[in-house]
Amino acid sequence: MTGTQISYYFLCKRKLWLFTNNIEQEQFNDTVAMGRFISDTTYERQKHEIKIDDIVLDFYDAKTKTIHEIKKSDKMEESHIWQVKYYINVLESKGITGVTGLIDYPKLRKTEKVELTNGDKNRLKEIERDIQSIVRSIELPGVIDKPFCKKCAYYDLCYV
Ligand code: SF4
């Protein structure tokens, strides 16, 4: 499981299925490209991306044990929060305890603190099971018809 899958799980199960089954169109989408640009430039002076198994953290401050995740907009806040909870859980599974997360929205000058509770850990196990079941299904989940579909990389595939 990856942070991107967690994020898509909350946004759209169809997107999760398409992404996981390697139907990738993300690199051609302007909105996604802008998100990557913000991520690439905001922390130029303190660029400390770290890779653990299949996940990449934008920035991890080892002194304060803080994961920083950089996002463009807070419209998808729930998915961002669970993505960071998942990252904290991965670090804990590697023996790094006492980690917290900060979601930074540079354009909004806003920061959201994220912590992981025991209840969250149980919920993450359920989410993982659910994700496995969705992505292994031979049935592609239906379109969700949300306003943000227009900015999704799979828009043409879903609606045209
Ligand atoms: S366009 Fe909408 S329904 Fe299709 S994958 Fe994207 S978010 Fe999901």
Side-chain angles (χ1 to χ4, degrees), residues 11-12 14-15 18 142-146 148-149 152-155 158-159:
L11 288 178
C12 172
R14 183 178 175 91
K15 186 166 182 157
L18 289 166
V143 296
I144 57 171
D145 208 8
K146 296 277 184 187
F148 58 76
C149 285
C152 174
Y154 296 111
Y155 181 80
C158 292
Y159 295 100

Side-chain angles (χ1 to χ4, degrees), residues 12 17 27 35 52 76 83 85 90 106 114 119 122 138-139 141 145 150 157:
C12 172
W17 191 100
Q27 62 269 37
I52 303 162
M76 317 293 184
Q83 194 175 358
K85 283 180 188 288
V90 170
V114 181
N122 292 333
I138 53 164
E139 234 174 89
D145 208 8
K150 290 199 175 81
L157 196 150

Side-chain angles (χ1 to χ4, degrees), residues 109-158:
R109 299 186 186 277
K110 174 183 163 182
T111 300
E112 176 87 29
K113 187 171 182 183
V114 181
E115 290 173 325
L116 182 74
T117 66
N118 286 334
D120 294 335
K121 289 181 197 174
N122 292 333
R123 176 80 178 111
L124 279 171
K125 282 181 196 153
E126 285 172 16
I127 291 169
E128 183 161 10
R129 280 195 293 271
D130 216 6
I131 286 177
Q132 293 304 329
S133 145
I134 291 164
V135 301
R136 284 181 186 156
S137 168
I138 53 164
E139 234 174 89
L140 174 63
V143 296
I144 57 171
D145 208 8
K146 296 277 184 187
F148 58 76
C149 285
K150 290 199 175 81
K151 291 184 178 173
C152 174
Y154 296 111
Y155 181 80
D156 285 357
L157 196 150
C158 292

